[in-house]
Amino acid sequence: MPENFSPDRTMPSTRADGVRSLVSKVPEVTALFWIIKVLTTGMGETTSDYLAHTLDPVIAVGIGALCFAGALALQFRVKRYIPWVYWLAVAMVSVFGTMAADVLHVGLGVPYLVSTVFYAAVLAAVFFLWHRTERTLSIHSIHTPRREMFYWAAVLATFALGTATGDLTAVTLKLGYLGSGVLFAVVIAIPALAYWKFGLKAIAAFWAAYIVTRPLGASFADWMGVSHERGGLDWGTAQVSIGWAAAIAVLVAVLAARQRRSETVATVSR
């Protein structure tokens, strides 16, 4: 995704970036945004798998739900975008979103195709209600509690949908995890190309790409973690989770440092 791939172009970039950072609860859409987003999807996938296979599944889902609720409560509590708080919430949504999708298939025996259609319908309903209520789906308009609730509902639905879709291609369609990863690496370029060359609206292009980041990151993380018999590198889900989490922590620290510098410059220039 291009660095300036932002779903809100209603304000000039320089001054507006400073204004947005004060009022919006979500980050600017930059190259680092997309990289960290993909990393959180993979980390969430392998962490969910590790917990489900190490602990009793009910206990694992309970832990995931508590961490998800705690991280989201912290995100709602802060008054502005704080990198580590926001990305912690995304990471916990990734873990719990994976569990939500897996519960339908593993726990209830729902086929991946059915769960994919189900979560697509859930996401469509969230978008419909969000737009009908707020008249926008722009992530840079997230500055009220109600809009933030819609935003995180959409994020959770995209994670569940992406998990089901990735499993559908890897398992049901028998592409394998590496094959699925390559497939979604191609698919994610489609909204970017449509945005650049064919006039696709920025908000639509953003959310289309955002959905695809989930199966993209999860497919490559699964490929790294699962056994050779399942077509993977057999590095282990715990090791992959730790490695991807470390990468996320480093990149979020970079974002936090950039934000501090920007705020310092803004303060000095007043």
Side-chain angles (χ1 to χ4, degrees):
M1 286 293 149
E3 178 133 353
N4 62 350
F5 183 62
S6 169
D8 186 355
R9 289 201 170 174
T10 58
M11 304 170 68
S13 57
T14 330
R15 214 171 120 242
D17 288 348
V19 175
R20 288 189 194 125
S21 67
L22 294 176
V23 300
S24 183
K25 297 284 295 291
V26 299
E28 285 300 300
V29 182
T30 64
L32 272 182
F33 173 92
W34 293 110
I35 293 170
I36 298 173
K37 175 61 172 65
V38 171
L39 288 172
T40 60
T41 66
M43 187 279 297
E45 174 74 17
T46 50
T47 300
S48 174
D49 288 347
Y50 175 77
L51 291 175
H53 289 92
T54 304
L55 305 174
D56 180 276
V58 175
I59 295 176
V61 172
I63 291 174
L66 286 174
C67 292
F68 162 69
L72 211 56
L74 180 60
Q75 168 65 18
F76 273 90
R77 185 179 179 84
V78 299
K79 301 302 182 184
R80 63 189 182 96
Y81 164 66
I82 299 175
W84 75 266
V85 174
Y86 173 84
W87 287 109
L88 175 65
V90 173
M92 293 303 101
V93 170
S94 177
V95 174
F96 186 68
T98 301
M99 291 177 171
D102 288 343
V103 162
L104 282 185
H105 178 74
V106 179
L108 303 177
V110 176
Y112 287 128
L113 177 59
V114 175
S115 60
T116 298
V117 172
F118 171 75
Y119 283 119
V122 170
L123 180 60
V126 171
F127 281 149
F128 173 78
L129 293 173
W130 182 0
H131 190 271
R132 183 173 182 177
T133 304
E134 302 296 335
R135 302 301 178 190
T136 180
L137 298 180
S138 170
I139 70 164
H140 294 303
S141 67
I142 311 301
H143 48 69
T144 67
R146 187 168 65 182
R147 289 187 178 186
E148 193 170 11
M149 289 177 64
F150 277 121
Y151 172 75
W152 287 106
V155 170
L156 180 58
T158 64
F159 273 96
L161 171 60
T163 300
T165 305
D167 289 335
L168 173 68
T169 58
V171 180
T172 305
L173 301 182
K174 303 187 185 306
L175 293 182
Y177 296 113
L178 178 58
S180 291
V182 172
L183 170 65
F184 290 114
V186 173
V187 170
I188 200 172
I190 295 174
L193 182 63
Y195 169 75
W196 276 325
K197 300 295 184 182
F198 301 105
L200 180 65
K201 297 295 184 182
I203 293 175
F206 169 83
W207 282 111
Y210 195 92
I211 293 167
V212 178
T213 58
R214 173 58 187 173
L216 172 64
S219 295
F220 281 113
D222 275 334
W223 172 61
M224 292 178 181
V226 302
S227 64
H228 297 304
E229 291 75 16
R230 297 175 61 192
L233 298 178
D234 200 20
W235 291 354
T237 53
Q239 289 80 356
V240 173
S241 295
I242 292 170
W244 287 47
I248 293 167
V250 170
L251 295 179
V252 171
V254 170
L255 288 180
R258 287 183 178 179
Q259 185 183 55
R260 285 194 297 270
R261 284 197 298 269
S262 297
E263 291 173 350
T264 301
V265 170
T267 302
V268 170
S269 62
R270 283 175 187 167

